[in-house]
């Protein structure tokens, strides 16, 4: 070391020497001193009131975390949120749909009136616009119901208790306790769930939470699940219990999703993302009256509009693509016909068919258009339709004309749960991780899992039938 | 495609150069002689390839060759220190922040050290609060290339009853290091040797008692420290019954980095009152009330919190 030439260097050298003499515990002492001072100031300035509120909170907490009661209460609460979302979104969805489709009719008539060529009218109104209308009508009402309710549970202080109850499972999987929260958020929307992973401080566990978020079904996938449950599973039960059976099977798919989340988290944390769980220091805040304005703001602006906007941006081109595939014909057949023909062997291997596989490809921008796309391809319509109204007409179309079996229904439900995330989620993953590699992994890993699962089930099924 | 291949080749050559410099620095540091043959063998390159390497290093002014002996130049030394700095900072980061098991970090840091960019390293350094040593206790060179040295004594040569602090855990050979880690011995631990025979070394940190074979203990290095004050082990937070209260006495030394900071920030500092409120129905975690707020801790964190339960004092207080 050379002799310092000026006072600044001398000072820096001195600081460097002093740093070496610092004990390892200086941080502890620093924090301790801060807390001691803060405590002294707080004691001087505040008077503690009677702890009546504390007792009230404690009583609720004992109830919510009790061994026999905690789990049923939790399932009931979350089940209630799902049920309200499904039931409550139905009517506004129908209204939005008819309103938006009326605009489509009017718009295309206006184009025709102005003398626009048929392909322009078709592409703009029956392609791009129709996909947008569909996504908005299907997505907006459930999100506008689900997110405020979810935010309210969060605001009440209930969600941290859920995390507290389930932490053991996640800690066994090597994941962070807060992943319960980001996972529940994924039930609403996986892109929002991925954004919520920001609250996990440890980079390793944040990545695990981001990569496995897609294993729980989002709002865009609920309609597919509910439709299949109604058409295939409810039909096997007497009418009185049919709706409960359908709801139960949808809930079971959700539970399967949670299981896959846990299993994949465990595999990731033992292989590519090896490490020990970091501090899970969940604060359990006192229960408080939710603030309505804040709930509406965070849930509608931060979550609903944000997610909807991204879905719109991504589904518009998809709508155009569907229209083109169905309307460009080569020697008498549409492009969609050739593609489904080509995809049929793959579809058959995983218990589905070429049409369904193509629908999943087209629906990468927005999962809600899976069922409409399947319908469009089956019916040979040149645009997405929702003309079938009763579950018996669905059934006669799927089973009667396109040879669907129980295998098709089960595998379609599973594949809907286990496949690549929608492009909105993929884009969000990329934004959040800043890594193309992890984004690609997060997109392909669930797809691989889905292919393996559906392939296995299909092959076993074929073996026995 | 061609430029890509060329880039890979260049990177490989750079890695080899940096590994060679690191090894030469280590020889210098430990005071062992380094010959062209010994270094070539340590790096695992063929003699003909090694010859090319020496020529390249000499041409770049990184080493001087006199006969068989290699000497690192000040320029080579500063480059070696940069690589070492990157390696040790990465080790520190991986252990403390990413919570990678200590036994795995050496290999991971070996891969990362060559992707070093002085600015990124400075950011990493600052984000961890300018740590002085890596997780094995090796000093981290500063950005200016200053490497400080402490004189330490192996555990096998330490006198009985003399208070000591562990300052270095040698990470090679790997098998021995794994045994040190598995025993629960950690850096910065303050200990006292109870028994030292050619068969075994027994020491305590007044919390646990450790027994190591001399071959393992020889890789644990100590400096003198002040006596610890207390002699009896303290109970851990995990032993606190539901509904009972205690005073926090501190966090044990195995807890480092992010987790330690987090617990301190939550107010788990010495003297804080803590009450176990209730347990999750799956058995873990437990919710504790500390400084007026309710915090859930997993058992594997709660066991690092040392407490004292003095009920008499408690009653006087209330």
């Amino acid at each position: 070391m050379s002799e310092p030439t000026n006072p600044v260097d001398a000072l820096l050298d001195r600081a460097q020497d002093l740093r070496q003499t610092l004990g390892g515990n200086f941080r502890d002492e620093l924090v301790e001193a801060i807390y001691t001072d803060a405590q002294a100031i707080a004691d001087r300035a505040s008077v503690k009131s009677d702890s009546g509120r504390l007792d009230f909170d404690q009583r609720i907490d004992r109830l919510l975390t009790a061994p026999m009661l905690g789990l049923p209460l939790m399932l009931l609460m979350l089940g209630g949120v799902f049920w309200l979302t499904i039931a409550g979104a139905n009517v506004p969805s129908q209204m939005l749909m008819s309103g938006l489709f009326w605009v489509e009719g009017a718009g295309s008539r206006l184009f025709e009136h102005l003398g626009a060529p048929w392909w322009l009218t078709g592409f703009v109104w029956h392609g791009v616009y129709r996909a947008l209308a569909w996504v908005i009508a299907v997505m907006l009402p459930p999100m506008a119901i689900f997110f405020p309710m979810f935010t309210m549970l969060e605001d009440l202080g209930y969600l941290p208790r859920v995390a507290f109850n389930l932490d053991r499972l996640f800690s066994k999987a090597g994941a962070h306790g807060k992943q319960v929260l980001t996972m529940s958020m994924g039930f609403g929307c996986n892109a929002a769930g991925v954004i919520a992973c920001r609250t996990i401080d440890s980079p390793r566990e944040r990545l695990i939470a981001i990569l496995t978020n897609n294993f729980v079904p989002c709002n865009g996938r609920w309609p597919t699940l509910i439709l299949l449950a109604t058409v295939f599973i409810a039909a096997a039960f007497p009418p009185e219990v049919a709706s409960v059976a359908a709801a139960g099977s949808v809930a079971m798919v959700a539970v399967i999703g949670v299981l896959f989340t846990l299993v994949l988290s465990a595999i990731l944390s033992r292989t590519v993302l090896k490490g020990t769980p970091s501090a899970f220091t969940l604060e359990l805040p006192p229960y408080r009256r939710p603030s309505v304005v804040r709930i509406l703001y965070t849930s509608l602006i931060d979550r609903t509009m944000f997610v909807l906007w991204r879905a719109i941006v991504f589904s518009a081109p998809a709508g155009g693509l569907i229209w083109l595939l169905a309307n460009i014909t080569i020697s008498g057949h549409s492009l969609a016909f050739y593609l489904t023909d080509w995809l049929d062997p793959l579809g058959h291997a995983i218990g589905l068919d070429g049409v369904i596989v193509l629908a999943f490809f087209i629906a990468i921008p927005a999962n809600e258009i899976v069922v409409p796309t399947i319908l469009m391809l089956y019916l040979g319509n040149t645009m997405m339709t929702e003309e079938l109204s009763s579950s018996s007409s669905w059934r006669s179309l799927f089973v009667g004309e396109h040879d669907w079996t129980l295998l098709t229904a089960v595998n379609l439900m599973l594949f809907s749960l286990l496949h690549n995330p929608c492009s909105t989620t993929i884009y969000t993953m990329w934004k959040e991780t800043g890594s193309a590699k992890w984004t690609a992994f997060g997109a392909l890993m669930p797809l691989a899992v889905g292919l393996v699962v559906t392939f296995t089930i299909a092959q076993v099924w074929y073996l026995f039938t | 495609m061609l430029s890509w291949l060329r880039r890979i080749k260049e990177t490989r050559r750079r890695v080899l150069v940096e590994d060679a410099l690191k090894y030469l620095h280590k020889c210098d540091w430990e005071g062992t002689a380094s010959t062209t043959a010994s270094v070539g063998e340590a790096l695992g390159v063929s003699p003909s390839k090694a010859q090319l390497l020496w020529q390249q290093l000499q041409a770049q002014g990184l080493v001087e060759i006199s006969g068989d002996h290699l000497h690192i130049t000040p320029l080579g030394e500063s480059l070696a220190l940069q690589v070492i700095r990157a390696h040790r900072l990465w080790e520190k980061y991986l252990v403390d922040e990413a919570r990678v098991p200590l036994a795995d970090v050496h290999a991971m840091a070996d891969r990362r050290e060559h992707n070093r960019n002085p600015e990124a390293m400075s950011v990493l350094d600052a984000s961890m609060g300018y740590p002085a040593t890596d997780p094995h206790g090796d000093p981290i060179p500063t950005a200016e290339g200053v490497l400080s040295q402490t004189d330490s004594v192996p555990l096998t040569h330490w006198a009985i009853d003399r208070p000591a602090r562990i300052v270095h855990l040698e990470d090679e050979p790997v098998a021995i290091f794994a045994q040190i880690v598995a025993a629960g011995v950690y850096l910065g631990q303050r200990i006292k040797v109870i028994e030292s025979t050619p068969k075994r070394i027994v020491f305590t940190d007044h919390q646990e008692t450790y027994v190591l074979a001399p071959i393992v203990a020889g890789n644990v290095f100590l400096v003198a420290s002040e006596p610890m004050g207390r002699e009896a082990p303290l109970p851990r937070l995990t032993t606190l019954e539901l509904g009972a209260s205690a005073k926090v006495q501190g966090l044990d030394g195995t807890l480092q980095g992010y987790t330690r900071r987090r617990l301190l920030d939550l107010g788990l500092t010495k003297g804080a009152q803590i009450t176990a409120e209730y347990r999750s129905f799956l058995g873990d975690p437990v919710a504790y009330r500390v400084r007026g707020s309710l915090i859930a801790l997993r058992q594997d964190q709660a066991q690092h919190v040392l407490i004292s339960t003095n009920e008499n004092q408690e009653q006087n207080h209330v």
Side-chain angles (χ1 to χ4, degrees):
Chain A
M1 245 197 285
S2 61
E3 274 300 301
T5 46
N6 67 49
V8 176
D9 284 347
L11 201 62
L12 286 176
D13 280 353
R14 177 94 180 106
Q16 187 59 43
D17 290 345
L18 285 176
R19 192 192 300 287
Q20 305 295 334
T21 64
L22 273 178
N25 282 340
F26 76 96
R27 278 169 201 279
D28 294 26
E29 284 158 25
L30 210 62
V31 178
E32 197 183 311
I34 293 170
Y35 263 109
T36 312
D37 284 353
Q39 186 80 54
I41 296 170
D43 285 348
R44 222 171 39 224
S46 63
V47 184
K48 269 193 197 124
S49 65
D50 192 35
S51 54
R53 254 204 67 83
L54 201 68
D55 287 344
F56 175 69
D57 274 10
Q58 274 174 348
R59 227 168 301 152
I60 299 183
D61 269 344
R62 295 250 154 79
L63 204 69
L64 291 178
T65 58
M68 299 309 279
L69 215 58
L71 192 66
L73 269 178
M74 192 170 69
L75 289 176
L76 211 66
M77 195 95 74
L78 294 179
V81 169
F82 292 143
W83 184 79
L84 279 176
T85 306
I86 293 168
N90 208 359
V91 175
S93 266
Q94 295 291 337
M95 282 164 59
L96 267 177
M97 189 110 54
S98 53
L100 290 170
F101 286 173
W102 178 83
V103 173
E104 181 193 334
S108 58
R109 274 195 300 280
L110 177 72
F111 264 48
E112 277 161 29
H113 185 73
L114 293 175
W118 70 271
W119 52 264
L120 186 66
T121 314
F123 183 79
V124 171
W125 288 104
H126 304 316
V128 175
Y129 176 83
R130 192 147 232 215
L132 283 184
W134 192 285
V135 168
I136 292 172
V138 176
M139 263 180 110
L140 181 59
M143 283 201 303
I145 296 171
F146 181 84
F147 284 132
M149 280 202 292
F150 190 83
T151 315
M152 197 185 72
L153 286 181
E154 207 177 7
D155 229 34
L156 267 172
Y158 180 62
L159 281 193
R161 269 79 183 176
V162 173
F164 178 74
N165 281 342
L166 292 183
D167 180 58
R168 186 75 187 270
L169 298 176
F170 281 80
S171 111
K172 281 252 149 67
H176 198 278
K178 274 188 198 156
Q179 198 177 324
V180 180
L181 307 185
T182 62
M183 187 190 74
S184 330
M185 184 68 89
F187 280 119
C189 169
N190 296 127
V194 168
I195 294 173
C197 294
R198 286 178 191 173
T199 55
I200 299 173
D201 309 283
S202 140
R204 188 186 70 84
E205 287 153 301
R206 182 166 58 232
L207 207 47
I208 292 178
I210 289 176
L211 295 176
T212 56
N213 193 275
N214 190 52
F215 286 112
V216 291
C218 64
N219 267 324
R221 292 186 263 170
W222 290 118
T224 313
L225 297 175
I226 292 165
L227 177 82
L228 289 165
T230 321
V231 172
F232 285 90
I233 290 155
F237 289 87
E240 310 87 64
V241 291
S243 69
V244 177
S249 61
V250 173
M252 209 170 82
V253 173
V255 171
I256 293 173
V258 174
L259 288 180
F260 269 98
T261 304
L262 285 169
V263 169
L264 266 296
S265 299
I267 293 174
L268 284 176
S269 73
R270 280 161 182 74
T271 53
V272 276
L273 288 168
K274 210 160 157 184
T276 41
S278 73
F280 172 63
T281 47
L282 181 77
E283 208 187 326
L284 302 171
Y287 294 100
R288 52 178 177 237
R289 194 192 307 256
S291 137
V292 177
V293 177
R294 210 169 62 87
I295 286 179
L296 288 181
Y297 184 83
T298 30
S299 56
L300 294 183
I301 306 297
D302 280 6
R303 289 173 182 162
T304 309
M305 290 326 271
F306 183 80
V307 170
L308 189 67
W309 175 244
R310 280 196 182 172
I312 286 174
V313 167
F314 284 110
S315 60
L321 180 70
I322 296 174
W323 188 86
L324 289 177
L325 285 179
N327 285 279
I328 297 177
T329 51
I330 299 169
S331 48
H333 291 299
S334 67
L335 276 183
F337 174 84
Y338 291 108
L339 281 174
T340 47
D341 207 44
W342 180 67
L343 287 170
D344 233 18
L346 171 67
H348 184 73
I350 59 173
L352 306 175
D353 65 19
V355 168
I356 302 174
V357 175
L358 180 62
F360 272 101
F361 267 114
I362 295 174
I364 287 175
N367 275 298
E368 19 304 269
I369 58 176
V370 168
V371 172
T373 308
I374 294 175
L375 286 182
M376 180 201 80
L377 296 170
Y378 276 162
L379 295 171
N381 273 15
T382 49
M383 55 182 106
M384 288 187 287
T385 39
E386 203 193 25
E387 282 156 19
L388 299 161
S389 48
S390 69
S391 71
S392 60
S393 60
W394 292 96
R395 207 177 154 75
S396 66
L397 172 72
F398 290 151
V399 182
E401 293 175 35
H402 293 278
D403 302 327
W404 280 28
T405 56
L406 188 61
L407 171 72
T408 324
V410 168
N411 269 9
L412 180 51
M413 279 174 103
L414 283 173
F415 197 68
S416 175
L417 178 74
L418 310 168
H419 70 285
N420 55 288
C422 67
S423 51
T424 312
T425 307
I426 296 176
Y427 176 70
T428 312
M429 280 183 180
W430 182 67
K431 284 295 245 192
E432 295 296 315
T433 60
S435 148
K437 197 183 75 180
W438 284 118
T439 309
F441 184 75
L444 296 176
M445 185 258 298
L447 181 64
V449 171
L451 288 175
V452 168
V453 169
T454 49
F455 179 80
T456 313
I457 292 178
Q459 295 310 312
V460 171
W461 176 280
Y462 292 145
L463 213 62
F464 289 102
T465 52
Chain B
M1 187 69 186
L2 224 79
S3 73
W4 180 64
L5 277 176
R6 199 178 305 136
R7 237 189 11 250
I8 288 186
K9 216 172 153 192
E10 265 167 27
T11 310
R12 259 199 213 137
R13 193 178 301 147
R14 192 165 61 84
V15 167
L16 194 61
V17 166
E18 290 179 358
D19 284 343
L21 289 174
K22 223 171 67 176
Y23 185 76
L24 286 173
H25 167 83
K26 191 177 164 219
C27 293
D28 244 27
W29 184 255
E30 289 168 355
T32 48
S34 42
T35 62
T36 44
S38 73
V39 182
E41 201 183 291
L43 293 174
V45 290
S46 63
S48 61
K49 236 184 181 170
Q51 204 53 46
L52 272 173
L53 181 64
W54 309 140
Q55 280 167 11
Q56 192 196 345
L57 287 172
Q58 202 173 18
Q60 292 179 343
L62 298 172
V63 295
E64 280 164 6
I65 304 177
S66 51
D68 250 4
H69 285 263
L70 292 164
H71 298 285
I72 193 162
T73 63
L75 186 65
E77 179 80 21
S78 84
L79 193 60
L81 281 173
Q82 273 188 44
V83 180
I84 291 167
R85 174 174 158 80
H87 181 93
R88 293 182 180 169
L89 280 174
W90 274 120
E91 283 191 334
K92 182 81 178 158
Y93 174 82
L94 289 169
V95 168
D96 282 2
E97 310 299 321
R99 306 245 310 163
V100 173
L102 194 51
D104 294 349
V105 293
H106 185 77
M108 287 170 85
D110 256 347
R111 278 198 303 279
R112 285 172 187 239
E113 67 187 8
H114 301 291
N115 275 330
R116 82 207 126 69
N117 151 355
E119 271 139 55
M121 283 302 115
S122 291
V123 172
L124 191 64
D125 198 6
S127 75
M128 294 188 288
Y130 304 100
T133 60
D134 75 0
H136 309 106
D138 290 317
I140 298 175
T142 63
E144 295 78 34
V146 180
L147 188 60
S148 48
Q149 192 173 16
T150 38
D151 291 315
S152 53
V153 178
L155 179 54
T156 38
H157 290 68
W158 199 261
I160 286 176
D161 274 349
R162 189 176 167 214
R165 186 162 55 90
I166 297 175
V167 292
H168 179 60
L169 303 171
E170 181 51 47
D171 56 349
E172 272 164 0
V174 177
I176 302 257
F177 180 63
Q179 283 188 53
I180 297 175
V181 174
V185 175
Y186 60 89
L187 207 62
Q189 195 171 21
R190 287 162 70 180
I191 60 157
K192 194 177 80 177
V193 178
I194 299 170
E195 180 193 328
S196 185
T197 65
K199 270 195 183 138
R200 61 180 207 165
I201 316 281
V202 182
F203 61 95
T204 176
D205 62 352
H206 304 306
Q207 188 67 37
E208 310 280 343
T209 303
Y210 304 87
V211 182
L212 291 182
I215 187 168
V216 180
N219 275 1
V220 176
F221 293 84
L222 311 171
V223 294
S225 127
E226 281 145 37
M228 292 221 296
R230 71 183 161 84
E231 294 281 323
L234 290 169
R236 296 176 184 275
L237 185 53
T238 36
T239 62
L240 193 63
E241 304 266 326
L242 289 188
S245 293
K247 265 205 164 61
V248 174
Q249 288 301 318
L251 308 174
D252 78 19
T254 46
L255 201 65
Q256 286 299 327
Y258 172 78
T259 317
R260 188 182 190 89
R261 288 200 302 276
R262 187 88 187 103
L263 292 187
L264 286 174
D265 290 349
L266 285 169
L268 288 164
T269 55
K270 197 172 172 183
Q273 182 86 13
I274 190 161
T275 311
E277 292 263 345
Y278 40 82
R279 191 185 296 278
S280 163
F281 58 73
L282 294 171
D284 193 26
V286 172
Y288 297 97
R289 192 168 297 280
V290 59
R291 295 188 190 277
S293 50
L294 200 56
I295 293 157
L297 291 182
R298 285 177 177 173
Q299 296 294 290
D300 67 342
Q301 276 136 35
Q303 67 165 343
H304 295 299
V305 181
L306 304 175
I307 55 170
S308 67
T309 47
N310 194 334
E311 271 143 346
N312 297 334
Q313 192 193 332
E314 220 42 68
Q315 275 157 8
N316 292 340
H317 199 70
V318 172

